[in-house]
DNA sequence: TCTTCGCCTGAGAGCGCTCTCAGGTCTAAC
DNA sequence: GTTAGACCTGAGAGCGCTCTCAGGCGAAGA
């Protein structure tokens, strides 16, 4: 097989037409027809021609690529490799993008170090993150989806790239897909209450994460309304944190009979910690997670959880970007529903 | 903030130099120096100039982008959103690519339907997949990593794009990162044997998956050498399949005292099925998984598993691509090591 | 002082494609 | 027969950047 890559010039020559006509046919644009179309198609087939996307992008000024920016934090490589959230975003967008002939470019920015690397240094971390965000925004083309991001970074991104949509709540003008995190957490606590639980602890995500903040708010609101005490710890949105927090919580107050855990990964850790302490889930301690990610069904018992429709949100974000520049402050809301499995139990 | 995007022309004008000089400075190329460098840098800073990657790619003929192709199969959206494998590949490559200023483009091809969509139709599935592969290969630039792929598709890809590396074993000339899947499975069975288990069943991955084939081979070899019987089922590399297979296996032969499960996700399902059957893990049935993915530590008890160094493999693949075109048939081998957790037990 | 060499620098030619615009053809209506 | 209108077609000008090449200039050697 020859390594020769035919250009549209070659196609045009082979078909005996001009470059413009060949382009029209290849792009299925109107204004060329009948015999010429056939000749061009034949030439394309014969030469094995494929348009060069890069040239096409440059010439048309609108490259067909959506940038997905995952702002990660946490130990090691960040969440990208372990937290199911990101794959769900990708999986949700992929079919939409592919259907539109758009590419998906993935970027990761570590909130702490700028680059999506393994570094843990804090020296100039914020500036590095900001610089990385600028860099990506400057080259974002069809648009960008901020998979997880802090409001300041989101605002900064929007300044360079209007065609942006955030997957997490940001207070700013950044268009976003917004799940009812507050309501979900609120509903989880109420469900636990309904099951007869009265000492409902919470394991939250990191305090700078917008989703974590909302879920915490929902928990607090519910607990306050129900006249219950507040017991909570920060589990950092990773399993290890969930384990450690559950332990701490149980040590502090052995009477805890339920836990609302702000993500399934942490909930998996919490279930392990509860079990390790000699308690049973759900008989002794009822657990409700959040996300309905793959982690929820891997635990034993499987997790009752609040389903975050990540795939749907991601698909909607992709569609929004494909359509054009979303209006500043645009919001699309998604419900967060209870999915009952075994970890919450059946009540007394 | 103005929406004006300065070009290198603007920078050159502002600095009072030619476009060529501005380009040299921006690219840190030799042949420009002293005062001019400073002037250009000043202009860049003042205008907030960012090189347009698309134009740069077209002009230089070497776009800095690596394409990651995930060939998925299975129900629904495929594995992309649920199987931890893909995120690990991404997470492993990201730091390397970012360090080299390269972008990461993600593609998914469904083995069954071509597009990475949700379809389940088989009509023309293979041809669609092949067409999608061709399309991606034609535009692959810096190179491509085949995250999971069947040998036929890999070969086809290589035909259009020499700069390719596979993450799974392919018998063809495709350069690849090769983990010792056979040895890992073999070692797992031996470990189970060492623990005193004599009825060691296996839950395999889909028979067309190269990794699954190798792991099956390792299992068979070990079982044959140890003079044990073979009991196995296909779990399709997803949790549900693991659950169903474990159930079936246990029904067929209630005396099974150990299971080698070819991926952690399936193992999570298997553990649930074993528990549901009234047996204990590891006391009654010892379980060893494969991968050491996040799923391994979410289960209860946590899984003893064979660690597949996916991140390292992915990073190595990225480095290989960055370096140039790997030789046909190039192989880099990775060990698969036992990670002992609770699901295998301590022996009698 | 003249030549040689080396180092800067800028002009200009593309990379492969899109898209506008002017010209050309053909049909139909006057 | 003439003309307006609709529809094709191709020439050519870029998109923003890279990179080659030749000219210019100063230092060093003859």
């Amino acid at each position: 097989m020859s390594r020769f890559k035919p250009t549209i010039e070659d196609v045009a020559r082979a078909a005996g037409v001009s470059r413009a006509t060949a382009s029209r046919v290849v792009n299925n644009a109107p204004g060329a027809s009948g015999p010429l179309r056939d000749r061009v198609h034949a030439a394309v087939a014969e030469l094995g021609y494929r348009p060069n996307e890069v040239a096409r992008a440059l010439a048309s000024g609108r490259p067909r690529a959506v940038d997905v920016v995952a702002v990660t934090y946490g130990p090691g490589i960040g969440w990208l490799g372990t937290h199911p959230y990101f794959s769900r975003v990708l999986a949700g967008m992929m079919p939409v993008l592919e259907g539109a002939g758009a590419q998906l470019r993935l970027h990761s920015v570590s909130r702490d170090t700028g680059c999506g690397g393994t570094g843990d240094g804090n020296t100039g971390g914020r500036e590095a993150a900001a610089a990385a965000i600028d860099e990506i925004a400057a080259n974002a083309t069809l648009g960008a989806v901020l998979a997880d991001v802090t409001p300041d970074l989101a605002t900064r991104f929007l300044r360079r790239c209007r065609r942006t949509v955030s997957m997490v709540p940001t207070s700013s003008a950044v268009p976003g897909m917004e799940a009812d995190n507050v309501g979900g957490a609120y509903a989880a606590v109420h469900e636990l209450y309904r099951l007869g639980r009265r000492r409902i602890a919470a394991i939250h995500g990191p305090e700078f994460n917008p989703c974590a903040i909302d879920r915490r708010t929902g928990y607090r609101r519910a607990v306050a309304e129900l006249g219950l005490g507040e017991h909570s710890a920060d589990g950092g949105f990773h399993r290890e944190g969930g384990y450690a927090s559950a332990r701490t919580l149980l040590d502090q107050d052995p009477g805890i009979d339920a836990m609302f855990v702000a993500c399934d990964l942490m909930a998996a850790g919490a279930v392990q910690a509860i079990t390790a302490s000699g308690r049973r889930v759900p008989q002794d301690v009822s657990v409700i997670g959040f996300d309905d990610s793959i982690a929820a069904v891997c635990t034993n018992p499987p997790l009752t959880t609040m389903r975050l429709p990540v795939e749907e949100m991601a698909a909607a974000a992709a569609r929004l970007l494909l359509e054009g520049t979303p209006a500043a402050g645009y919001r699309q809301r998604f419900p967060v529903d209870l999915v009952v499995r075994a970890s919450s139990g059946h009540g007394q």
Side-chain angles (χ1 to χ4, degrees), chain A:
Chain A
M1 175 143 191
S2 84
R3 302 256 105 248
F4 165 69
K5 270 207 148 197
T7 71
I8 200 166
E9 186 82 52
D10 300 315
V11 171
R13 201 174 313 123
V17 300
S18 73
R19 216 164 57 241
T21 300
S23 174
R24 280 192 271 267
V25 175
V26 167
N27 289 296
N28 227 337
S33 83
L36 288 206
R37 276 200 124 70
D38 295 342
R39 263 154 61 197
V40 171
H41 279 136
V44 165
E46 191 199 346
L47 295 172
Y49 169 74
R50 300 267 168 180
N52 176 326
E53 287 301 334
V54 173
R56 187 179 258 188
L58 180 61
S60 66
R62 44 180 161 62
R64 306 285 291 171
V66 165
D67 294 80
V68 175
V69 183
V71 177
T72 71
Y73 24 97
I77 216 160
W79 293 346
L80 191 59
T82 52
H83 206 294
Y85 176 74
F86 296 107
S87 350
R88 293 179 70 193
V89 171
L90 264 19
M93 297 184 65
M94 196 63 84
V96 177
L97 259 27
E98 245 151 25
Q103 298 188 328
L104 164 17
R105 292 191 297 213
L106 183 60
H107 308 264
S108 86
V109 172
S110 164
R111 176 175 163 276
D112 308 313
T113 63
C115 277
T118 51
D120 56 346
N122 275 320
T123 327
R126 294 306 175 75
E127 297 95 86
I133 279 285
D134 283 353
E135 177 70 38
I136 299 165
N139 273 298
T141 52
L142 222 178
V145 171
L146 306 176
D148 194 5
V149 70
T150 50
D152 55 327
L153 251 25
T155 308
R156 180 164 190 127
F157 196 96
L158 188 69
R159 210 154 49 204
R160 280 211 174 253
C161 172
R162 290 238 93 76
R163 207 150 168 179
T164 292
V165 36
S166 166
M167 290 286 294
V168 297
T170 53
S171 47
S172 65
V174 186
M177 300 291 127
E178 213 166 86
D180 187 11
N181 285 291
V182 177
Y186 183 89
V189 175
H190 270 267
E191 170 70 5
L192 258 5
Y193 188 87
R194 193 184 70 73
L195 292 168
R197 309 299 171 155
R198 293 297 178 268
R199 281 217 188 154
I200 305 176
I203 300 180
H204 300 301
E207 58 186 6
F208 46 76
N209 180 292
C211 290
I213 294 170
D214 281 1
R215 292 173 201 172
R216 180 191 313 233
T217 302
Y219 166 77
R220 287 208 175 131
R221 192 171 297 170
V223 154
E225 278 183 27
L226 294 167
L228 306 177
E230 190 179 328
H231 316 262
S232 52
D234 182 335
F237 270 167
H238 48 261
R239 191 196 59 91
E240 293 79 0
Y243 189 98
S245 295
R247 246 187 115 105
T248 308
L249 250 14
L250 252 17
D251 282 351
Q252 284 173 197
D253 183 351
I256 284 171
D257 57 9
M259 286 191 195
F260 162 64
V261 191
C263 91
D264 290 339
L265 214 48
M266 292 196 297
V271 167
Q272 292 170 333
I274 295 166
T275 309
S277 79
R279 280 166 254 240
R280 293 161 305 164
V281 175
Q283 293 89 337
D284 302 319
V285 181
S286 226
V287 174
I288 294 188
F290 211 107
D291 281 354
D292 197 25
S293 70
I294 185 75
V297 290
C298 283
T299 61
N300 219 350
L303 295 173
T304 291
T305 190
M306 303 307 304
R307 171 165 172 76
L308 189 69
V310 179
E311 291 85 355
E312 289 86 329
M313 292 169 71
R319 262 181 243 115
L320 192 62
L321 254 22
L322 254 20
E323 278 167 15
T325 305
Y330 174 90
R331 284 286 178 282
Q332 191 165 337
R333 299 186 198 284
F334 294 81
V336 168
D337 299 313
L338 179 71
V339 176
V340 178
R341 296 206 183 84
S343 73
S344 55
H346 309 286
Q348 333 271 55

